[in-house]
mmCIF file of all heavy atoms in Angstrom:
data_model
loop_
_atom_site.group_PDB
_atom_site.id
_atom_site.type_symbol
_atom_site.label_atom_id
_atom_site.label_comp_id
_atom_site.label_asym_id
_atom_site.label_seq_id
_atom_site.Cartn_x
_atom_site.Cartn_y
_atom_site.Cartn_z
ATOM 1 N N TYR A 503 46.324 -10.805 -12.358
ATOM 2 C CA TYR A 503 45.294 -9.748 -12.401
ATOM 3 C C TYR A 503 44.506 -9.745 -11.101
ATOM 4 O O TYR A 503 44.273 -10.794 -10.501
ATOM 5 C CB TYR A 503 44.362 -9.948 -13.600
ATOM 6 C CG TYR A 503 45.041 -10.068 -14.927
ATOM 7 C CD1 TYR A 503 45.533 -11.321 -15.388
ATOM 8 C CD2 TYR A 503 45.268 -8.938 -15.730
ATOM 9 C CE1 TYR A 503 46.207 -11.397 -16.610
ATOM 10 C CE2 TYR A 503 45.937 -9.044 -16.891
ATOM 11 C CZ TYR A 503 46.382 -10.306 -17.399
ATOM 12 O OH TYR A 503 47.070 -10.389 -18.558
ATOM 13 N N PHE A 543 41.749 -11.179 -4.120
ATOM 14 C CA PHE A 543 41.330 -12.186 -5.100
ATOM 15 C C PHE A 543 42.189 -11.910 -6.374
ATOM 16 O O PHE A 543 42.435 -10.729 -6.751
ATOM 17 C CB PHE A 543 39.867 -12.013 -5.478
ATOM 18 C CG PHE A 543 39.493 -12.695 -6.753
ATOM 19 C CD1 PHE A 543 39.319 -14.103 -6.788
ATOM 20 C CD2 PHE A 543 39.184 -12.014 -8.013
ATOM 21 C CE1 PHE A 543 38.870 -14.767 -7.996
ATOM 22 C CE2 PHE A 543 38.814 -12.684 -9.085
ATOM 23 C CZ PHE A 543 38.674 -14.007 -9.145
ATOM 24 N N ILE A 545 43.467 -13.499 -10.509
ATOM 25 C CA ILE A 545 43.366 -14.441 -11.669
ATOM 26 C C ILE A 545 44.765 -14.611 -12.151
ATOM 27 O O ILE A 545 45.502 -13.595 -12.359
ATOM 28 C CB ILE A 545 42.392 -13.862 -12.718
ATOM 29 C CG1 ILE A 545 40.997 -13.783 -12.154
ATOM 30 C CG2 ILE A 545 42.404 -14.780 -13.954
ATOM 31 C CD1 ILE A 545 40.009 -13.052 -13.109
ATOM 32 N N ASN A 546 45.165 -15.826 -12.441
ATOM 33 C CA ASN A 546 46.411 -16.161 -12.956
ATOM 34 C C ASN A 546 46.323 -16.914 -14.303
ATOM 35 O O ASN A 546 45.618 -17.921 -14.339
ATOM 36 C CB ASN A 546 47.234 -17.040 -11.925
ATOM 37 C CG ASN A 546 48.701 -17.136 -12.228
ATOM 38 O OD1 ASN A 546 49.338 -18.048 -11.665
ATOM 39 N ND2 ASN A 546 49.281 -16.302 -13.077
ATOM 40 N N ILE A 547 46.828 -16.340 -15.351
ATOM 41 C CA ILE A 547 46.799 -17.016 -16.711
ATOM 42 C C ILE A 547 48.002 -17.981 -16.698
ATOM 43 O O ILE A 547 49.096 -17.662 -16.393
ATOM 44 C CB ILE A 547 46.888 -15.992 -17.840
ATOM 45 C CG1 ILE A 547 45.670 -15.102 -17.796
ATOM 46 C CG2 ILE A 547 46.980 -16.724 -19.168
ATOM 47 C CD1 ILE A 547 45.607 -14.096 -18.968
ATOM 48 N N GLU A 548 47.678 -19.161 -17.161
ATOM 49 C CA GLU A 548 48.685 -20.282 -17.186
ATOM 50 C C GLU A 548 49.354 -20.262 -18.598
ATOM 51 O O GLU A 548 49.046 -19.476 -19.525
ATOM 52 C CB GLU A 548 48.013 -21.608 -16.947
ATOM 53 C CG GLU A 548 47.328 -21.640 -15.585
ATOM 54 C CD GLU A 548 46.258 -22.659 -15.468
ATOM 55 O OE1 GLU A 548 46.238 -23.682 -16.315
ATOM 56 O OE2 GLU A 548 45.364 -22.551 -14.628
ATOM 57 N N GLY A 551 47.311 -20.583 -21.776
ATOM 58 C CA GLY A 551 46.169 -19.639 -21.918
ATOM 59 C C GLY A 551 45.007 -19.900 -21.034
ATOM 60 O O GLY A 551 44.044 -19.135 -21.042
ATOM 61 N N LEU A 552 45.010 -21.040 -20.322
ATOM 62 C CA LEU A 552 43.952 -21.289 -19.369
ATOM 63 C C LEU A 552 44.143 -20.330 -18.158
ATOM 64 O O LEU A 552 45.175 -19.779 -17.899
ATOM 65 C CB LEU A 552 43.977 -22.735 -18.901
ATOM 66 C CG LEU A 552 43.792 -23.796 -19.995
ATOM 67 C CD1 LEU A 552 43.749 -25.195 -19.378
ATOM 68 C CD2 LEU A 552 42.669 -23.561 -20.887
ATOM 69 N N SER A 553 43.053 -20.170 -17.403
ATOM 70 C CA SER A 553 43.074 -19.279 -16.206
ATOM 71 C C SER A 553 42.523 -19.982 -14.995
ATOM 72 O O SER A 553 41.676 -20.810 -15.099
ATOM 73 C CB SER A 553 42.247 -18.041 -16.470
ATOM 74 O OG SER A 553 42.793 -17.232 -17.480
ATOM 75 N N HIS A 554 43.093 -19.583 -13.846
ATOM 76 C CA HIS A 554 42.481 -19.995 -12.593
ATOM 77 C C HIS A 554 42.469 -18.808 -11.651
ATOM 78 O O HIS A 554 43.080 -17.746 -11.916
ATOM 79 C CB HIS A 554 43.274 -21.140 -11.964
ATOM 80 C CG HIS A 554 44.654 -20.766 -11.533
ATOM 81 N ND1 HIS A 554 45.754 -20.910 -12.380
ATOM 82 C CD2 HIS A 554 45.163 -20.219 -10.370
ATOM 83 C CE1 HIS A 554 46.814 -20.553 -11.696
ATOM 84 N NE2 HIS A 554 46.514 -20.105 -10.484
ATOM 85 N N GLY A 555 41.725 -18.913 -10.522
ATOM 86 C CA GLY A 555 41.632 -17.840 -9.561
ATOM 87 C C GLY A 555 41.803 -18.306 -8.180
ATOM 88 O O GLY A 555 41.575 -19.468 -7.850
ATOM 89 N N PHE A 588 39.673 -21.528 -7.772
ATOM 90 C CA PHE A 588 38.734 -21.739 -8.968
ATOM 91 C C PHE A 588 39.461 -22.161 -10.150
ATOM 92 O O PHE A 588 40.459 -21.485 -10.549
ATOM 93 C CB PHE A 588 38.034 -20.396 -9.217
ATOM 94 C CG PHE A 588 37.394 -19.761 -8.009
ATOM 95 C CD1 PHE A 588 37.985 -18.672 -7.354
ATOM 96 C CD2 PHE A 588 36.165 -20.333 -7.436
ATOM 97 C CE1 PHE A 588 37.483 -18.101 -6.238
ATOM 98 C CE2 PHE A 588 35.649 -19.717 -6.342
ATOM 99 C CZ PHE A 588 36.285 -18.629 -5.667
ATOM 100 N N THR A 589 39.022 -23.221 -10.849
ATOM 101 C CA THR A 589 39.803 -23.799 -11.954
ATOM 102 C C THR A 589 39.499 -23.162 -13.272
ATOM 103 O O THR A 589 40.133 -23.485 -14.249
ATOM 104 C CB THR A 589 39.532 -25.307 -12.097
ATOM 105 O OG1 THR A 589 38.191 -25.515 -12.433
ATOM 106 C CG2 THR A 589 39.909 -26.028 -10.749
ATOM 107 N N GLY A 590 38.481 -22.310 -13.412
ATOM 108 C CA GLY A 590 38.137 -21.725 -14.680
ATOM 109 C C GLY A 590 37.508 -22.694 -15.655
ATOM 110 O O GLY A 590 36.471 -23.298 -15.316
ATOM 111 N N PRO A 591 38.092 -22.932 -16.834
ATOM 112 C CA PRO A 591 39.505 -22.535 -17.248
ATOM 113 C C PRO A 591 39.582 -21.241 -17.984
ATOM 114 O O PRO A 591 40.663 -20.851 -18.313
ATOM 115 C CB PRO A 591 39.870 -23.705 -18.164
ATOM 116 C CG PRO A 591 38.586 -24.071 -18.772
ATOM 117 C CD PRO A 591 37.517 -23.885 -17.783
ATOM 118 N N SER A 592 38.463 -20.546 -18.222
ATOM 119 C CA SER A 592 38.550 -19.227 -18.858
ATOM 120 C C SER A 592 38.486 -18.163 -17.822
ATOM 121 O O SER A 592 38.006 -18.414 -16.674
ATOM 122 C CB SER A 592 37.362 -19.013 -19.866
ATOM 123 O OG SER A 592 36.155 -18.975 -19.200
ATOM 124 N N THR A 593 38.931 -16.984 -18.136
ATOM 125 C CA THR A 593 38.828 -15.825 -17.249
ATOM 126 C C THR A 593 37.366 -15.591 -16.865
ATOM 127 O O THR A 593 37.092 -15.387 -15.682
ATOM 128 C CB THR A 593 39.391 -14.567 -17.908
ATOM 129 O OG1 THR A 593 40.770 -14.793 -18.259
ATOM 130 C CG2 THR A 593 39.343 -13.430 -16.957
ATOM 131 N N THR A 594 36.487 -15.656 -17.821
ATOM 132 C CA THR A 594 35.116 -15.440 -17.495
ATOM 133 C C THR A 594 34.577 -16.483 -16.575
ATOM 134 O O THR A 594 33.788 -16.180 -15.609
ATOM 135 C CB THR A 594 34.267 -15.466 -18.870
ATOM 136 O OG1 THR A 594 34.692 -14.320 -19.639
ATOM 137 C CG2 THR A 594 32.789 -15.334 -18.535
ATOM 138 N N SER A 595 34.909 -17.733 -16.777
ATOM 139 C CA SER A 595 34.392 -18.773 -15.868
ATOM 140 C C SER A 595 34.991 -18.701 -14.511
ATOM 141 O O SER A 595 34.332 -19.008 -13.510
ATOM 142 C CB SER A 595 34.642 -20.203 -16.501
ATOM 143 O OG SER A 595 36.025 -20.431 -16.727
ATOM 144 N N VAL A 596 36.222 -18.172 -14.338
ATOM 145 C CA VAL A 596 36.819 -17.899 -13.048
ATOM 146 C C VAL A 596 35.948 -16.889 -12.301
ATOM 147 O O VAL A 596 35.583 -17.089 -11.108
ATOM 148 C CB VAL A 596 38.259 -17.417 -13.107
ATOM 149 C CG1 VAL A 596 38.738 -16.873 -11.810
ATOM 150 C CG2 VAL A 596 39.126 -18.515 -13.630
ATOM 151 N N VAL A 597 35.549 -15.831 -12.958
ATOM 152 C CA VAL A 597 34.751 -14.798 -12.328
ATOM 153 C C VAL A 597 33.344 -15.353 -11.993
ATOM 154 O O VAL A 597 32.764 -15.092 -10.942
ATOM 155 C CB VAL A 597 34.635 -13.577 -13.231
ATOM 156 C CG1 VAL A 597 33.670 -12.523 -12.590
ATOM 157 C CG2 VAL A 597 35.996 -12.895 -13.461
ATOM 158 N N GLN A 598 32.846 -16.154 -12.865
ATOM 159 C CA GLN A 598 31.546 -16.790 -12.590
ATOM 160 C C GLN A 598 31.614 -17.709 -11.364
ATOM 161 O O GLN A 598 30.720 -17.678 -10.489
ATOM 162 C CB GLN A 598 31.053 -17.654 -13.795
ATOM 163 C CG GLN A 598 30.683 -16.776 -14.990
ATOM 164 C CD GLN A 598 30.411 -17.595 -16.238
ATOM 165 O OE1 GLN A 598 31.132 -18.511 -16.587
ATOM 166 N NE2 GLN A 598 29.289 -17.291 -16.894
ATOM 167 N N GLN A 599 32.671 -18.487 -11.244
ATOM 168 C CA GLN A 599 32.870 -19.374 -10.021
ATOM 169 C C GLN A 599 33.059 -18.489 -8.777
ATOM 170 O O GLN A 599 32.594 -18.856 -7.758
ATOM 171 C CB GLN A 599 34.021 -20.271 -10.267
ATOM 172 C CG GLN A 599 33.762 -21.294 -11.423
ATOM 173 C CD GLN A 599 34.990 -21.766 -12.167
ATOM 174 O OE1 GLN A 599 36.131 -21.698 -11.599
ATOM 175 N NE2 GLN A 599 34.827 -22.362 -13.279
ATOM 176 N N TYR A 600 33.755 -17.389 -8.892
ATOM 177 C CA TYR A 600 33.994 -16.510 -7.796
ATOM 178 C C TYR A 600 32.710 -15.866 -7.284
ATOM 179 O O TYR A 600 32.394 -15.857 -6.120
ATOM 180 C CB TYR A 600 35.012 -15.424 -8.150
ATOM 181 C CG TYR A 600 35.279 -14.357 -7.156
ATOM 182 C CD1 TYR A 600 35.670 -14.716 -5.834
ATOM 183 C CD2 TYR A 600 35.208 -13.006 -7.468
ATOM 184 C CE1 TYR A 600 35.891 -13.705 -4.924
ATOM 185 C CE2 TYR A 600 35.499 -12.033 -6.552
ATOM 186 C CZ TYR A 600 35.821 -12.383 -5.229
ATOM 187 O OH TYR A 600 36.100 -11.378 -4.338
ATOM 188 N N LEU A 877 37.837 -2.448 -15.599
ATOM 189 C CA LEU A 877 38.014 -3.813 -15.932
ATOM 190 C C LEU A 877 38.279 -4.637 -14.708
ATOM 191 O O LEU A 877 37.739 -5.764 -14.512
ATOM 192 C CB LEU A 877 39.188 -3.950 -16.922
ATOM 193 C CG LEU A 877 38.969 -3.410 -18.349
ATOM 194 C CD1 LEU A 877 40.199 -3.454 -19.110
ATOM 195 C CD2 LEU A 877 37.830 -4.235 -19.026
ATOM 196 N N GLN A 880 35.243 -5.574 -12.686
ATOM 197 C CA GLN A 880 34.471 -6.616 -13.277
ATOM 198 C C GLN A 880 34.881 -7.941 -12.752
ATOM 199 O O GLN A 880 34.021 -8.847 -12.477
ATOM 200 C CB GLN A 880 34.623 -6.658 -14.778
ATOM 201 C CG GLN A 880 34.353 -5.342 -15.544
ATOM 202 C CD GLN A 880 32.865 -4.937 -15.447
ATOM 203 O OE1 GLN A 880 31.969 -5.709 -15.712
ATOM 204 N NE2 GLN A 880 32.695 -3.697 -15.043
ATOM 205 N N PHE A 881 36.163 -8.158 -12.457
ATOM 206 C CA PHE A 881 36.678 -9.383 -11.900
ATOM 207 C C PHE A 881 36.119 -9.595 -10.500
ATOM 208 O O PHE A 881 35.959 -10.696 -10.044
ATOM 209 C CB PHE A 881 38.225 -9.358 -11.800
ATOM 210 C CG PHE A 881 38.967 -9.292 -13.104
ATOM 211 C CD1 PHE A 881 40.215 -8.756 -13.195
ATOM 212 C CD2 PHE A 881 38.360 -9.731 -14.291
ATOM 213 C CE1 PHE A 881 40.907 -8.684 -14.388
ATOM 214 C CE2 PHE A 881 39.010 -9.691 -15.527
ATOM 215 C CZ PHE A 881 40.285 -9.188 -15.548
ATOM 216 N N GLY A 965 27.053 -14.324 -13.437
ATOM 217 C CA GLY A 965 28.247 -13.704 -12.931
ATOM 218 C C GLY A 965 29.259 -13.288 -13.919
ATOM 219 O O GLY A 965 30.325 -12.728 -13.548
ATOM 220 N N ALA A 966 29.009 -13.476 -15.180
ATOM 221 C CA ALA A 966 29.991 -13.025 -16.225
ATOM 222 C C ALA A 966 30.190 -11.525 -16.249
ATOM 223 O O ALA A 966 29.216 -10.786 -16.094
ATOM 224 C CB ALA A 966 29.536 -13.498 -17.606
ATOM 225 N N PRO A 967 31.410 -11.058 -16.430
ATOM 226 C CA PRO A 967 31.627 -9.583 -16.505
ATOM 227 C C PRO A 967 30.837 -9.049 -17.688
ATOM 228 O O PRO A 967 30.654 -9.601 -18.690
ATOM 229 C CB PRO A 967 33.091 -9.501 -16.688
ATOM 230 C CG PRO A 967 33.671 -10.756 -16.173
ATOM 231 C CD PRO A 967 32.694 -11.774 -16.431
ATOM 232 N N GLN A 970 34.901 -6.398 -20.524
ATOM 233 C CA GLN A 970 35.913 -7.411 -20.459
ATOM 234 C C GLN A 970 37.204 -7.004 -21.167
ATOM 235 O O GLN A 970 37.134 -6.274 -22.155
ATOM 236 C CB GLN A 970 35.457 -8.733 -21.052
ATOM 237 C CG GLN A 970 34.139 -9.219 -20.384
ATOM 238 C CD GLN A 970 33.899 -10.679 -20.606
ATOM 239 O OE1 GLN A 970 34.846 -11.450 -20.912
ATOM 240 N NE2 GLN A 970 32.674 -11.170 -20.384
ATOM 241 N N PRO A 971 38.342 -7.442 -20.645
ATOM 242 C CA PRO A 971 39.595 -7.214 -21.395
ATOM 243 C C PRO A 971 39.632 -8.142 -22.666
ATOM 244 O O PRO A 971 38.895 -9.141 -22.713
ATOM 245 C CB PRO A 971 40.707 -7.591 -20.398
ATOM 246 C CG PRO A 971 39.994 -8.543 -19.507
ATOM 247 C CD PRO A 971 38.642 -8.174 -19.411
ATOM 248 N N LEU A 972 40.496 -7.782 -23.564
ATOM 249 C CA LEU A 972 40.514 -8.573 -24.785
ATOM 250 C C LEU A 972 40.922 -10.014 -24.550
ATOM 251 O O LEU A 972 40.448 -10.949 -25.218
ATOM 252 C CB LEU A 972 41.525 -7.917 -25.789
ATOM 253 C CG LEU A 972 40.953 -6.785 -26.666
ATOM 254 C CD1 LEU A 972 40.589 -5.552 -25.827
ATOM 255 C CD2 LEU A 972 41.879 -6.435 -27.860
ATOM 256 N N PHE A 973 41.814 -10.166 -23.523
ATOM 257 C CA PHE A 973 42.305 -11.589 -23.345
ATOM 258 C C PHE A 973 41.253 -12.492 -22.828
ATOM 259 O O PHE A 973 41.401 -13.744 -22.911
ATOM 260 C CB PHE A 973 43.571 -11.613 -22.350
ATOM 261 C CG PHE A 973 43.258 -11.194 -20.971
ATOM 262 C CD1 PHE A 973 42.607 -12.047 -20.036
ATOM 263 C CD2 PHE A 973 43.680 -9.956 -20.490
ATOM 264 C CE1 PHE A 973 42.423 -11.735 -18.726
ATOM 265 C CE2 PHE A 973 43.484 -9.614 -19.226
ATOM 266 C CZ PHE A 973 42.815 -10.508 -18.302
ATOM 267 N N SER A 974 40.128 -12.029 -22.327
ATOM 268 C CA SER A 974 39.036 -12.864 -21.944
ATOM 269 C C SER A 974 38.392 -13.631 -23.083
ATOM 270 O O SER A 974 37.985 -14.782 -22.939
ATOM 271 C CB SER A 974 37.875 -12.017 -21.285
ATOM 272 O OG SER A 974 38.242 -11.536 -20.056
ATOM 273 N N HIS A 975 38.507 -13.029 -24.272
ATOM 274 C CA HIS A 975 37.960 -13.681 -25.477
ATOM 275 C C HIS A 975 39.009 -14.261 -26.405
ATOM 276 O O HIS A 975 38.721 -15.042 -27.272
ATOM 277 C CB HIS A 975 37.059 -12.705 -26.263
ATOM 278 C CG HIS A 975 35.943 -12.197 -25.471
ATOM 279 N ND1 HIS A 975 34.820 -12.971 -25.117
ATOM 280 C CD2 HIS A 975 35.716 -10.995 -24.810
ATOM 281 C CE1 HIS A 975 33.982 -12.306 -24.396
ATOM 282 N NE2 HIS A 975 34.476 -11.130 -24.143
ATOM 283 N N TYR A 976 40.279 -13.811 -26.187
ATOM 284 C CA TYR A 976 41.356 -14.326 -27.001
ATOM 285 C C TYR A 976 42.544 -14.746 -26.083
ATOM 286 O O TYR A 976 43.588 -14.213 -26.132
ATOM 287 C CB TYR A 976 41.800 -13.244 -27.957
ATOM 288 C CG TYR A 976 40.664 -12.754 -28.882
ATOM 289 C CD1 TYR A 976 39.899 -11.640 -28.543
ATOM 290 C CD2 TYR A 976 40.358 -13.509 -30.017
ATOM 291 C CE1 TYR A 976 38.809 -11.281 -29.353
ATOM 292 C CE2 TYR A 976 39.264 -13.076 -30.845
ATOM 293 C CZ TYR A 976 38.459 -11.929 -30.487
ATOM 294 O OH TYR A 976 37.465 -11.575 -31.249
ATOM 295 N N PRO A 977 42.260 -15.812 -25.258
ATOM 296 C CA PRO A 977 43.194 -16.190 -24.269
ATOM 297 C C PRO A 977 44.502 -16.782 -24.813
ATOM 298 O O PRO A 977 45.503 -16.862 -24.077
ATOM 299 C CB PRO A 977 42.424 -17.213 -23.409
ATOM 300 C CG PRO A 977 41.425 -17.782 -24.355
ATOM 301 C CD PRO A 977 40.988 -16.609 -25.203
ATOM 302 N N TYR A 983 47.397 -9.901 -23.424
ATOM 303 C CA TYR A 983 47.523 -10.000 -21.995
ATOM 304 C C TYR A 983 47.802 -8.622 -21.312
ATOM 305 O O TYR A 983 47.162 -8.417 -20.266
ATOM 306 C CB TYR A 983 48.561 -10.961 -21.606
ATOM 307 C CG TYR A 983 48.348 -12.418 -21.974
ATOM 308 C CD1 TYR A 983 49.399 -13.341 -21.976
ATOM 309 C CD2 TYR A 983 47.083 -12.858 -22.346
ATOM 310 C CE1 TYR A 983 49.155 -14.667 -22.375
ATOM 311 C CE2 TYR A 983 46.854 -14.147 -22.693
ATOM 312 C CZ TYR A 983 47.898 -15.093 -22.719
ATOM 313 O OH TYR A 983 47.646 -16.381 -23.066
#
Side-chain angles (χ1 to χ4, degrees):
Y503 304 86
F543 166 74
I545 296 172
N546 193 195
I547 296 181
E548 300 159 22
L552 303 184
S553 294
H554 66 268
F588 310 103
T589 64
S592 68
T593 302
T594 297
S595 57
V596 169
V597 176
Q598 291 175 314
Q599 292 153 19
Y600 176 51
L877 289 172
Q880 304 296 310
F881 297 155
Q970 304 200 18
L972 276 67
F973 67 76
S974 288
H975 299 289
Y976 302 94
Y983 296 163

